Each structure stands twice: as structure tokens, then as C-alpha cells.
């Protein structure tokens, strides 16, 4: 529809409305000021969340996108505003999170002159975006924005950055918007090869010890129901990657655990004992494989993946299936025989018992009087029935949450997986609450990561949202300290941390808070936090030198996983 002439800035906001955007995370500045002025007239239909740092904006948009099935939208100004998005862009690319980031830029005649707050954000962000583009003419805005949303959300999702010069924001134009549905030479939805599916089905039907590994791709394709049908027909044990947690209910009898360096004992060792390994929507990250030269060499590998570049990249697949997980699973389920693998499943249960018994014995010997991180997570899981949205930062608490929270709902585990970004959890939890306002959102954070984006407590204050924050305070950069203990002869080089009074800090932001130091008060404290109307911070003092086990040491095979 053609309208009266409007400015480029107004065209941008109208384009976002056409894409059904109702939430934006951002921070204004000089080069994006015309866009913010245009936004002023849309506050009834678009909620702008004012963060306290641009990194907070992009992590919040990630949390929002991960729980809502929508594309997260970010506004930032030029120069430092734009460069403060870099960590989040890298995080979103590796974790396949759909974002559209809009940055203001100096006027086009100043490009390349080192003008005030000018940076080449296109050049800087090129390696860590799915696509980026600089707009210097207002008439480009509608078509480029339409293309940005299509690219960000289709195929394997990812972040897109659009940089708009200030003169393009002021320039007048005729507005017309048409959503983008295809781009020449970009094929986000691969054609499913039915012969490959039949070949995979034949291997699965003949397998004596098949094993299924699932990743976030299941949730990105909304294939949770198809996955459950496949698993229950095939009877195959299922293990999840870190980002795949929640794609398959953790309380299902065929779920056998969490994969990876700090994953469960059974799925790690059984990877090197299965005869057919089926990987769906996961990329064989190094934290999952350990030593690649000794990974699943005995197994026939079936790999279903929408991103062709991931096929054969780390692990050579005997049957690669370049396809959307949902589409592939439908056809694969129709092609396999109904089966069950009771004896094989018993092997997983036996290995699980070995893990539980060993870890319990270690806990009884070490620091038995001190609260442990896993105690907190297990009790939190029990109280919430594994149905809360849990947002974790990076470190020991992250691994403990992955291991001990029972993720029974899809899109309920929000964490920084591939990049491992400390400071992710607090802003991502804010975004998750905006994306799923009816859900309980709990941010589980270490004392180190919390202080990297602690200023976002101000966003909670201003936005008046309900986020529950649990700080597991061990007074160390715990994961680094664990490695220093195990591999650097306990030379704790700059990992012990002195922190402020977190309770007083929270209350300074008008957030209710409490601190506990013993298990006798733990359940009551968690219940009080969860039942409180509004945001709440609970600091839990845990053992200073608690380690996360099991653990696959760097360079080791998954078969060499250590229980202590």
C-alpha cells in the first residue's frame, strides 16, 4: 500500500509493525535518534524495553526469541553502541537465535572519515551475523527490513544486523511494504531426500544398540511431537545436548541423560558402545565429542541437520540427511518398525546407578555440612515440577542446572551454549519474561557472571517485571578454579572473588532479596521467592570448592569420563 511521503525513520517503525514486532530492546543515542523519535508515536503498540547497556539489550532479545518463537529486535546507536552488540551477535550466531539488530550510523557523507562515534560495524560484524547490510537511502528500508526478518528466522536461524545512516533516517520516501518469502540463491528449506531416509530407517531397524542424540534443532523446527512419536515407536534411548534440553521430557522413561564434558556418565560412555548413532538438530560440538578420533568409531552415524555446512564437518555421517528435523522425523517414523530395546536400556540404567552411587559417596566425604549447588537445583526442580523457564549464566552452576533440573517443557532451558558468555543470564531472563509473561522465569547465576551485567537490575526496576534470581555464591570463579585444582596443581591464580552485598544491592533497585547459608532454610527460602509477587533475588552460599562431576578432560575420549 502506497502512502504519503514519510521519513526513513518512520518507514523503519512501520516496517517493524508489518512484521508484527511488539517488543524492542534498546538504548538510544545520537545516530539513532530519528528512529527513536518515530518510535514515540507507536508506544501503544510497541513496548520498548530500556536496558542499561547494549549487551543487555541483545542478550534480552536472545532470551525473548528463544522462548517465544519470534525474532528478537534490538536498537543501538553507532560507535560504542553498535560495538557493544558484538558479544551477543557472536552468541546468537553459534546458538542459532533469530535477531534483527538495527544500528544507527553517522551520515553517509561522513562514512570512512573517523567521524564522532563512527565504526565500521558492517565490517566488524560480518563474521558473526547471518547477514548484514548498510542502508544509505531511505527507499531501501522496507525491502531490506523484510529481507532481514526472512533471513533471521528461516532455515537455521541467526542474527542479522542492519546499519542505517542518519541521513537515510531523515530522508523522505514513499512507503510500501511487502513481506519477503524468497531470495535468489538462498534456499533455507532443503528438499528432503527420501532415499536417505529409507537408508536410515533400514539401519535403525537392524540396530541392536541404537542411540539417539538430540539438539536444539528439534525445538527450532517445532518437532517435539514428531520426536516423541519416533522415540516411542523405535524404543531408542535419547540423550540431549545442552541446548537440546527440554526438547524431550526429562521424566520420560526413554530419556537417559545429558551429553557432554560435564554430562551424565551413561550417555557419554554408551556413545562408544552403540551400533547406530542418530543425531538430530545438533552439530557435534567439541564439548559433546571429546577426542573426535575416538568418538563413536564402532557406530553407523545418521545425521539429520538443516544446515548443510554441519554435515561431515566434525563427524562423518554414513547417512547424512539434509533436512528440517520435523519433516525428516515424520517420514522416518513412518518408515521404521515398532521396536523396543529393553536390555540396551538396562545398560544405561546400570551406568546411571554407578554415577549416582559414586557422586553420593564423594559428597558424603567432602564438605558434607555445606550446601551444594546440586541440592539447590534439585529442590528448585522439585518445587517447580520441572516446568519453569530456567535461564543460566556460564560456569559450574550452568552445568549443575543442566544436570539436575528436570526440563519437562520445551524451550525452558535458556543458556549461552556455544560461546559460553558470562553475563548472559540476567538480561536473557528479562527478555524471556517478556517473551513468556505467564511463565515462571528463574535466572540461576554464579557470583562472577552476575556482576558482568548486574546493571540490568535497573531494567527490572523500570520495567516492573517478575524475574526470580538465584545467585549460587561460592566466592570463586568456580569452573576456572576447578580446572586449576585438577590440572594446575591447585594454583588458584586470580579466581577467588570478593563480592558486594548482593541483598543490599538488589534492595537498592527496589528488588526484594534474601540470603541463606544452610540447608535448613533452603526450601522455605525457595518457596518464599517463588511465591513472591514481583522480582526477587535469593543469594545462596554454597561450598567454596565444590567440583562438577562427571567430567571428560580436554583431549580425552568420552569413554574416559571421570566420576571423581
Amino acid at each position: 500500500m502506497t502512502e504519503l511521503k514519510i521519513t526513513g525513520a518512520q518507514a523503519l517503525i512501520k516496517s517493524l509493525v508489518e512484521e508484527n514486532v511488539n517488543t524492542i530492546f534498546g538504548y538510544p543515542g545520537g545516530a539513532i535518534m530519528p528512529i527513536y523519535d518515530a518510535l514515540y508515536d507507536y508506544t501503544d503498540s510497541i513496548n520498548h524495553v530500556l536496558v542499561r547497556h547494549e549487551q543487555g539489550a541483545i542478550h534480552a532479545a536472545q532470551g525473548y526469541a528463544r522462548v517465544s518463537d519470534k525474532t528478537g529486535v534490538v536498537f543501538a546507536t553507532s560507535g560504542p553502541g553498535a560495538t557493544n552488540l558484538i558479544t551477543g551477535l557472536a552468541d546468537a550466531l553459534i546458538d542459532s537465535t533469530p535477531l534483527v539488530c538495527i544500528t544507527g550510523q553517522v551520515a553517509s557523507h561522513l562514512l570512512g572519515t573517523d567521524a564522532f562515534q563512527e565504526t565500521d560495524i558492517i565490517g566488524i560484524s560480518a563474521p558473526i551475523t547471518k547477514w548484514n547490510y548498510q542502508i544509505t537511502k531511505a527507499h531501501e528500508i522496507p525491502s531490506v527490513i523484510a529481507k532481514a526478518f526472512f533471513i533471521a528466522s528461516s532455515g537455521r536461524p541467526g542474527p542479522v544486523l542492519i546499519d542505517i545512516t542518519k541521513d537515510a533516517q531523515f530522508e523522505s520516501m514513499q512507503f510500501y511494504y511487502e513481506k519477503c518469502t524468497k531470495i535468489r540463491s538462498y534456499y533455507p528449506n532443503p528438499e528432503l531426500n527420501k532415499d536417505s531416509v529409507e537408508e536410515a530407517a533400514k539401519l535403525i531397524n537392524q540396530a541392536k544398540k541404537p542411540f539417539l542424540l538430540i539438539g536444539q534443532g528439534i525445538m527450532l523446527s517445532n518437532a517435539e511431537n514428531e520426536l516423541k512419536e519416533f522415540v516411542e515407536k523405535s524404543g531408542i534411548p535419547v540423550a540431549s545436548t545442552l541446548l537440546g534440553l527440554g526438547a524431550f521430557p526429562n521424566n520420560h522413561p526413554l530419556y537417559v541423560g545429558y551429553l557432554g564434558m560435564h554430562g551424565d556418565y551413561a550417555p557419554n560412555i554408551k556413545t562408544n558402545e552403540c551400533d547406530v548413532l542418530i543425531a538430530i538438530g545438533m552439530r557435534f560440538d567439541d564439548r559433546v565429542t571429546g577426542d573426535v578420533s575416538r568418538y563413536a568409531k564402532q557406530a553407523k552415524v545418521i545425521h539429520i541437520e538443516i544446515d548443510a555446512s554441519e554435515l561431515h564437518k566434525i563427524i562423518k555421517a554414513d547417512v547424512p540427511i539434509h533436512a528440517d528435523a520435523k519433516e525428516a522425523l515424520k517420514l522416518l517414523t513412518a518408515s521404521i518398525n515398532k521396536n523396543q530395546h529393553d536390555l540396551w536400556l538396562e545398560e544405561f540404567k546400570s551406568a546411571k546407578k554407578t554415577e549416582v552411587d559414586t557422586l553420593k559417596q564423594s559428597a558424603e566425604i567432602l564438605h558434607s555440612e555445606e550446601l551444594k549447588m546440586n541440592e539447590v537445583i534439585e529442590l528448585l526442580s522439585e518445587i517447580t515440577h520441572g516446568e519453569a523457564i530456567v535461564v543460566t549464566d556460564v560456569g559450574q552452576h550452568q552445568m549443575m542446572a543442566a544436570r539436575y533440573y528436570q526440563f519437562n517443557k520445551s524451550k525452558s532451558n535458556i543458556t549461552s551454549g556455544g560461546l559460553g558468555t558470562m553475563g548472559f543470564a540476567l538480561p536473557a531472563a528479562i527478555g524471556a519474561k517478556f517473551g513468556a509473561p505467564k511463565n515462571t522465569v528463574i535466572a540461576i547465576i554464579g557470583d562472577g557472571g552476575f556482576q558482568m551485567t548486574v546493571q540490568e537490575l535497573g531494567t527490572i526496576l523500570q520495567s516492573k517485571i517478575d524475574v526470580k534470581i538465584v545467585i549460587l555464591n561460592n566466592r570463586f570463579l568456580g569452573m576456572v578454579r576447578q580446572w586449576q585444582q585438577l590440572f594446575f596443581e591447585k594454583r588458584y591464580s586470580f579466581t577467588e572473588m570478593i563480592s558486594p552485598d548482593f541483598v543490599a544491592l538488589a534492595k537498592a533497585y527496589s528488588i526484594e532479596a534474601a540470603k541463606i547459608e544452610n540447608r535448613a532454610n533452603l526450601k522455605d527460602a525457595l518457596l518464599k521467592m517463588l511465591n513472591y509477587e514481583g522480582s526477587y533475588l535469593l543469594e545462596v552460599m554454597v561450598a567454596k570448592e565444590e567440583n562438577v562431576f562427571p567430567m571428560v578432560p580436554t583431549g580425552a575420549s568420552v569413554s574416559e569420563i571421570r566420576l571423581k
Side-chain angles (χ1 to χ4, degrees):
M1 179 180 175
T2 303
E3 299 184 357
L4 294 173
K5 281 193 172 184
I6 59 174
T7 67
Q10 291 170 321
L12 172 70
I13 302 301
K14 290 179 77 67
S15 297
L16 296 179
V17 171
E18 292 285 343
E19 292 291 343
N20 300 313
V21 172
N22 56 24
T23 305
I24 297 169
F25 303 90
Y27 202 95
I32 199 171
M33 207 175 295
I35 290 172
Y36 269 89
D37 184 66
L39 181 61
Y40 189 84
D41 295 324
Y42 287 82
T43 52
D44 289 342
S45 57
I46 298 177
N47 178 32
H48 178 276
V49 181
L50 178 63
V51 296
R52 297 304 185 263
H53 190 284
E54 291 87 357
Q55 184 178 348
I58 194 164
H59 290 331
Q62 287 176 270
Y64 176 87
R66 294 266 287 272
V67 303
S68 68
D69 265 344
K70 297 179 181 178
T71 298
V73 179
V74 178
F75 281 0
T77 194
S78 64
T83 57
N84 281 341
L85 300 179
I86 293 300
T87 296
L89 289 170
D91 196 294
L93 184 69
I94 200 166
D95 281 356
S96 307
T97 306
L99 301 178
V100 171
C101 299
I102 311 295
T103 54
Q105 184 56 277
V106 300
S108 54
H109 73 278
L110 293 173
L111 291 172
T113 67
D114 294 329
F116 178 67
Q117 290 195 332
E118 180 200 1
T119 56
D120 178 11
I121 194 61
I122 295 298
I124 293 169
S125 65
I128 50 171
T129 50
K130 192 175 176 185
W131 181 59
N132 66 8
Y133 187 84
Q134 186 174 74
I135 294 175
T136 58
K137 297 293 183 182
H139 70 83
E140 295 182 286
I141 289 173
S143 61
V144 170
I145 294 302
K147 186 176 177 181
F149 275 87
F150 177 62
I151 292 173
S153 61
S154 58
R156 179 180 179 177
V160 170
L161 184 139
I162 306 300
D163 194 43
I164 309 177
T165 60
K166 200 166 184 178
D167 52 323
Q169 297 173 46
F170 278 122
E171 188 181 9
S172 295
M173 58 167 287
Q174 293 283 111
F175 181 77
Y176 175 79
Y177 198 84
E178 183 178 358
K179 287 195 175 185
C180 180
T181 57
K182 63 179 181 179
I183 299 170
R184 190 174 69 178
S185 76
Y186 173 57
Y187 306 104
N189 301 309
E191 185 176 345
L192 180 61
N193 185 325
K194 294 182 180 179
D195 290 340
S196 295
V197 174
E198 290 301 321
E199 189 180 349
K202 185 177 180 181
L203 282 177
I204 291 168
N205 288 335
Q206 294 173 345
K208 302 299 182 186
K209 293 185 174 184
F211 189 20
L212 174 59
L213 313 183
I214 59 168
Q216 187 185 203
I218 296 291
M219 292 178 282
L220 293 175
S221 66
N222 294 308
E224 295 92 338
N225 291 335
E226 288 76 11
L227 172 66
K228 192 174 181 184
E229 289 175 14
F230 170 77
V231 171
E232 292 181 347
K233 184 177 182 181
S234 67
I236 297 175
V238 185
S240 172
T241 66
L242 176 62
L243 290 184
L245 288 168
F248 191 76
N250 285 187
N251 58 4
H252 194 284
L254 288 172
Y255 180 76
V256 295
Y258 157 54
L259 293 161
M261 177 178 280
H262 289 289
D264 293 312
Y265 181 63
N268 274 292
I269 63 169
K270 294 303 173 185
T271 299
N272 279 358
E273 297 176 21
C274 65
D275 56 3
V276 174
L277 188 68
I278 308 139
I280 307 178
M282 55 89 75
R283 59 188 180 85
F284 290 110
D285 175 78
D286 60 287
R287 289 296 173 105
V288 165
T289 63
D291 181 3
V292 174
S293 69
R294 292 182 284 165
Y295 183 81
K297 291 301 178 183
Q298 79 294 338
K300 295 289 187 182
V301 177
I302 299 165
H303 191 184
I304 299 173
E305 173 59 51
I306 198 167
D307 184 352
S309 70
E310 296 293 350
L311 295 170
H312 307 303
K313 187 173 85 174
I314 309 295
I315 300 296
K316 187 179 186 325
D318 296 279
V319 183
I321 301 176
H322 181 211
D324 173 76
K326 190 183 189 80
E327 186 182 1
L329 276 167
K330 283 181 180 177
L331 188 57
L332 189 58
T333 302
S335 303
I336 61 170
N337 301 329
K338 185 167 180 59
N339 208 340
Q340 57 188 46
H341 299 276
D342 294 340
L343 293 177
W344 174 227
L345 192 61
E346 283 301 318
E347 292 187 33
F348 283 90
K349 293 178 181 177
S350 177
K352 177 67 175 178
K353 185 177 185 304
T354 298
E355 174 187 324
V356 170
D357 290 347
T358 305
L359 294 182
K360 182 178 179 182
Q361 183 181 25
S362 298
E364 288 172 351
I365 294 171
L366 294 171
H367 314 299
S368 59
E369 75 287 351
E370 294 182 280
L371 261 173
K372 311 294 188 304
M373 286 181 276
N374 68 290
E375 290 182 81
V376 182
I377 305 297
E378 284 182 318
L379 186 53
L380 194 58
S381 180
E382 179 187 323
I383 293 171
T384 60
H385 309 291
E387 295 182 349
I389 292 174
V390 175
V391 187
T392 54
D393 217 82
V394 172
Q396 287 183 315
H397 71 278
Q398 176 191 35
M399 296 297 100
M400 288 292 193
R403 289 179 48 74
Y404 293 103
Y405 194 88
Q406 294 292 303
F407 292 97
N408 295 323
K409 291 184 69 175
S410 181
K411 300 178 180 70
S412 60
N413 171 48
I414 311 302
T415 195
S416 172
L419 196 64
T421 303
M422 290 180 68
F424 174 86
L426 184 58
I430 293 169
K433 188 64 180 180
F434 278 106
K438 294 181 180 179
N439 293 69
T440 298
V441 175
I442 306 170
I444 301 174
I445 317 179
D447 46 315
F450 180 70
Q451 293 179 79
M452 287 198 169
T453 49
V454 65
Q455 71 278 353
E456 298 309 325
L457 292 176
T459 305
I460 293 175
L461 168 65
Q462 186 159 350
S463 300
K464 297 181 175 63
I465 58 166
D466 180 1
V467 173
K468 312 305 184 188
I469 304 162
V470 178
I471 299 176
L472 298 180
N473 188 351
N474 59 9
R475 292 138 286 174
F476 267 109
L477 296 176
M479 189 60 83
V480 184
R481 183 214 55 76
Q482 176 170 336
W483 280 61
Q484 289 174 337
Q485 177 185 336
L486 299 176
F487 307 113
F488 292 88
E489 301 176 339
K490 292 189 177 182
R491 290 162 60 88
Y492 295 161
S493 180
F494 303 101
T495 47
E496 190 162 10
M497 178 165 282
I498 297 174
S499 297
D501 183 336
F502 290 130
V503 171
L505 187 61
K507 289 186 175 182
Y509 285 96
S510 299
I511 296 170
E512 190 57 44
K515 175 180 178 178
I516 64 164
E517 301 188 47
N518 58 72
R519 63 177 52 85
N521 300 326
L522 179 59
K523 186 170 185 178
D524 286 345
L526 290 175
L527 287 170
K528 182 177 180 181
M529 174 190 75
L530 291 168
N531 292 328
Y532 186 80
E533 292 187 10
S535 287
Y536 194 104
L537 183 148
L538 178 64
E539 180 183 8
V540 183
M541 305 305 294
V542 294
K544 285 190 72 172
E545 297 188 50
E546 181 183 1
N547 289 332
V548 186
F549 284 105
M551 178 181 185
V552 180
T554 299
S557 162
V558 290
S559 298
E560 296 170 327
I561 187 169
R562 293 171 54 174
L563 286 171
K564 57 183 179 179

PDB file of all heavy atoms in Angstrom, residues 56-73:
ATOM      1  N   GLY A  56      23.218  -5.867  27.287  1.00  0.00           N
ATOM      2  CA  GLY A  56      21.987  -6.303  27.938  1.00  0.00           C
ATOM      3  C   GLY A  56      20.829  -6.375  26.964  1.00  0.00           C
ATOM      4  O   GLY A  56      19.982  -7.274  27.039  1.00  0.00           O
ATOM      5  N   ALA A  57      20.777  -5.441  26.015  1.00  0.00           N
ATOM      6  CA  ALA A  57      19.693  -5.430  25.027  1.00  0.00           C
ATOM      7  C   ALA A  57      19.717  -6.673  24.162  1.00  0.00           C
ATOM      8  O   ALA A  57      18.687  -7.311  23.933  1.00  0.00           O
ATOM      9  CB  ALA A  57      19.789  -4.174  24.157  1.00  0.00           C
ATOM     10  N   ILE A  58      20.883  -7.025  23.677  1.00  0.00           N
ATOM     11  CA  ILE A  58      20.939  -8.155  22.739  1.00  0.00           C
ATOM     12  C   ILE A  58      20.754  -9.482  23.465  1.00  0.00           C
ATOM     13  O   ILE A  58      20.107 -10.397  22.956  1.00  0.00           O
ATOM     14  CB  ILE A  58      22.228  -8.120  21.888  1.00  0.00           C
ATOM     15  CG1 ILE A  58      22.091  -9.082  20.701  1.00  0.00           C
ATOM     16  CG2 ILE A  58      23.477  -8.388  22.700  1.00  0.00           C
ATOM     17  CD1 ILE A  58      23.111  -8.867  19.609  1.00  0.00           C
ATOM     18  N   HIS A  59      21.264  -9.616  24.695  1.00  0.00           N
ATOM     19  CA  HIS A  59      21.015 -10.846  25.444  1.00  0.00           C
ATOM     20  C   HIS A  59      19.531 -10.961  25.815  1.00  0.00           C
ATOM     21  O   HIS A  59      18.964 -12.062  25.806  1.00  0.00           O
ATOM     22  CB  HIS A  59      21.874 -10.905  26.706  1.00  0.00           C
ATOM     23  CG  HIS A  59      23.338 -11.099  26.437  1.00  0.00           C
ATOM     24  ND1 HIS A  59      23.804 -11.772  25.333  1.00  0.00           N
ATOM     25  CD2 HIS A  59      24.438 -10.722  27.144  1.00  0.00           C
ATOM     26  CE1 HIS A  59      25.126 -11.796  25.355  1.00  0.00           C
ATOM     27  NE2 HIS A  59      25.524 -11.160  26.447  1.00  0.00           N
ATOM     28  N   ALA A  60      18.903  -9.828  26.132  1.00  0.00           N
ATOM     29  CA  ALA A  60      17.464  -9.847  26.415  1.00  0.00           C
ATOM     30  C   ALA A  60      16.683 -10.281  25.178  1.00  0.00           C
ATOM     31  O   ALA A  60      15.742 -11.076  25.260  1.00  0.00           O
ATOM     32  CB  ALA A  60      16.999  -8.473  26.889  1.00  0.00           C
ATOM     33  N   ALA A  61      17.085  -9.772  24.017  1.00  0.00           N
ATOM     34  CA  ALA A  61      16.423 -10.164  22.773  1.00  0.00           C
ATOM     35  C   ALA A  61      16.619 -11.652  22.486  1.00  0.00           C
ATOM     36  O   ALA A  61      15.723 -12.314  21.945  1.00  0.00           O
ATOM     37  CB  ALA A  61      16.959  -9.324  21.615  1.00  0.00           C
ATOM     38  N   GLN A  62      17.783 -12.174  22.865  1.00  0.00           N
ATOM     39  CA  GLN A  62      18.016 -13.620  22.708  1.00  0.00           C
ATOM     40  C   GLN A  62      17.058 -14.424  23.585  1.00  0.00           C
ATOM     41  O   GLN A  62      16.459 -15.405  23.138  1.00  0.00           O
ATOM     42  CB  GLN A  62      19.461 -13.964  23.079  1.00  0.00           C
ATOM     43  CG  GLN A  62      20.502 -13.518  22.064  1.00  0.00           C
ATOM     44  CD  GLN A  62      21.905 -13.827  22.560  1.00  0.00           C
ATOM     45  OE1 GLN A  62      22.536 -13.021  23.221  1.00  0.00           O
ATOM     46  NE2 GLN A  62      22.381 -15.010  22.257  1.00  0.00           N
ATOM     47  N   GLY A  63      16.954 -14.027  24.853  1.00  0.00           N
ATOM     48  CA  GLY A  63      16.036 -14.720  25.750  1.00  0.00           C
ATOM     49  C   GLY A  63      14.610 -14.665  25.245  1.00  0.00           C
ATOM     50  O   GLY A  63      13.873 -15.657  25.277  1.00  0.00           O
ATOM     51  N   TYR A  64      14.221 -13.493  24.748  1.00  0.00           N
ATOM     52  CA  TYR A  64      12.883 -13.295  24.195  1.00  0.00           C
ATOM     53  C   TYR A  64      12.645 -14.232  23.008  1.00  0.00           C
ATOM     54  O   TYR A  64      11.615 -14.919  22.931  1.00  0.00           O
ATOM     55  CB  TYR A  64      12.743 -11.839  23.762  1.00  0.00           C
ATOM     56  CG  TYR A  64      11.453 -11.476  23.076  1.00  0.00           C
ATOM     57  CD1 TYR A  64      10.334 -11.091  23.816  1.00  0.00           C
ATOM     58  CD2 TYR A  64      11.341 -11.502  21.696  1.00  0.00           C
ATOM     59  CE1 TYR A  64       9.144 -10.749  23.195  1.00  0.00           C
ATOM     60  CE2 TYR A  64      10.155 -11.170  21.056  1.00  0.00           C
ATOM     61  CZ  TYR A  64       9.063 -10.786  21.807  1.00  0.00           C
ATOM     62  OH  TYR A  64       7.889 -10.461  21.180  1.00  0.00           O
ATOM     63  N   ALA A  65      13.600 -14.272  22.094  1.00  0.00           N
ATOM     64  CA  ALA A  65      13.449 -15.091  20.892  1.00  0.00           C
ATOM     65  C   ALA A  65      13.409 -16.580  21.221  1.00  0.00           C
ATOM     66  O   ALA A  65      12.632 -17.343  20.627  1.00  0.00           O
ATOM     67  CB  ALA A  65      14.594 -14.795  19.917  1.00  0.00           C
ATOM     68  N   ARG A  66      14.234 -16.994  22.172  1.00  0.00           N
ATOM     69  CA  ARG A  66      14.353 -18.416  22.484  1.00  0.00           C
ATOM     70  C   ARG A  66      13.070 -19.005  23.083  1.00  0.00           C
ATOM     71  O   ARG A  66      12.787 -20.188  22.906  1.00  0.00           O
ATOM     72  CB  ARG A  66      15.531 -18.648  23.434  1.00  0.00           C
ATOM     73  CG  ARG A  66      16.903 -18.337  22.842  1.00  0.00           C
ATOM     74  CD  ARG A  66      17.594 -19.537  22.238  1.00  0.00           C
ATOM     75  NE  ARG A  66      18.075 -20.434  23.270  1.00  0.00           N
ATOM     76  CZ  ARG A  66      19.258 -20.357  23.868  1.00  0.00           C
ATOM     77  NH1 ARG A  66      20.094 -19.375  23.544  1.00  0.00           N
ATOM     78  NH2 ARG A  66      19.624 -21.251  24.751  1.00  0.00           N
ATOM     79  N   VAL A  67      12.302 -18.185  23.807  1.00  0.00           N
ATOM     80  CA  VAL A  67      11.086 -18.724  24.437  1.00  0.00           C
ATOM     81  C   VAL A  67       9.826 -18.458  23.633  1.00  0.00           C
ATOM     82  O   VAL A  67       8.805 -19.113  23.835  1.00  0.00           O
ATOM     83  CB  VAL A  67      10.890 -18.174  25.875  1.00  0.00           C
ATOM     84  CG1 VAL A  67      12.084 -18.471  26.740  1.00  0.00           C
ATOM     85  CG2 VAL A  67      10.564 -16.679  25.866  1.00  0.00           C
ATOM     86  N   SER A  68       9.872 -17.510  22.708  1.00  0.00           N
ATOM     87  CA  SER A  68       8.633 -17.021  22.088  1.00  0.00           C
ATOM     88  C   SER A  68       8.412 -17.475  20.654  1.00  0.00           C
ATOM     89  O   SER A  68       7.338 -17.253  20.097  1.00  0.00           O
ATOM     90  CB  SER A  68       8.627 -15.482  22.102  1.00  0.00           C
ATOM     91  OG  SER A  68       9.623 -14.975  21.228  1.00  0.00           O
ATOM     92  N   ASP A  69       9.421 -18.062  20.017  1.00  0.00           N
ATOM     93  CA  ASP A  69       9.331 -18.419  18.596  1.00  0.00           C
ATOM     94  C   ASP A  69       9.238 -17.178  17.709  1.00  0.00           C
ATOM     95  O   ASP A  69       8.789 -17.261  16.563  1.00  0.00           O
ATOM     96  CB  ASP A  69       8.126 -19.316  18.310  1.00  0.00           C
ATOM     97  CG  ASP A  69       8.501 -20.787  18.322  1.00  0.00           C
ATOM     98  OD1 ASP A  69       9.694 -21.098  18.247  1.00  0.00           O
ATOM     99  OD2 ASP A  69       7.595 -21.634  18.418  1.00  0.00           O
ATOM    100  N   LYS A  70       9.638 -16.032  18.234  1.00  0.00           N
ATOM    101  CA  LYS A  70       9.646 -14.797  17.450  1.00  0.00           C
ATOM    102  C   LYS A  70      11.090 -14.347  17.232  1.00  0.00           C
ATOM    103  O   LYS A  70      12.014 -14.859  17.863  1.00  0.00           O
ATOM    104  CB  LYS A  70       8.868 -13.698  18.172  1.00  0.00           C
ATOM    105  CG  LYS A  70       7.386 -14.001  18.367  1.00  0.00           C
ATOM    106  CD  LYS A  70       6.698 -12.877  19.116  1.00  0.00           C
ATOM    107  CE  LYS A  70       5.217 -13.173  19.334  1.00  0.00           C
ATOM    108  NZ  LYS A  70       4.541 -12.092  20.118  1.00  0.00           N
ATOM    109  N   THR A  71      11.253 -13.387  16.364  1.00  0.00           N
ATOM    110  CA  THR A  71      12.576 -12.807  16.134  1.00  0.00           C
ATOM    111  C   THR A  71      12.782 -11.662  17.116  1.00  0.00           C
ATOM    112  O   THR A  71      11.944 -10.759  17.212  1.00  0.00           O
ATOM    113  CB  THR A  71      12.693 -12.289  14.689  1.00  0.00           C
ATOM    114  OG1 THR A  71      12.548 -13.396  13.788  1.00  0.00           O
ATOM    115  CG2 THR A  71      14.045 -11.634  14.451  1.00  0.00           C
ATOM    116  N   GLY A  72      13.884 -11.693  17.847  1.00  0.00           N
ATOM    117  CA  GLY A  72      14.206 -10.611  18.766  1.00  0.00           C
ATOM    118  C   GLY A  72      14.671  -9.382  18.017  1.00  0.00           C
ATOM    119  O   GLY A  72      15.357  -9.491  16.998  1.00  0.00           O
ATOM    120  N   VAL A  73      14.300  -8.196  18.518  1.00  0.00           N
ATOM    121  CA  VAL A  73      14.654  -6.943  17.850  1.00  0.00           C
ATOM    122  C   VAL A  73      15.414  -6.047  18.817  1.00  0.00           C
ATOM    123  O   VAL A  73      15.025  -5.881  19.971  1.00  0.00           O
ATOM    124  CB  VAL A  73      13.396  -6.209  17.331  1.00  0.00           C
ATOM    125  CG1 VAL A  73      13.777  -4.893  16.648  1.00  0.00           C
ATOM    126  CG2 VAL A  73      12.639  -7.108  16.346  1.00  0.00           C
TER     127      VAL A  73
END
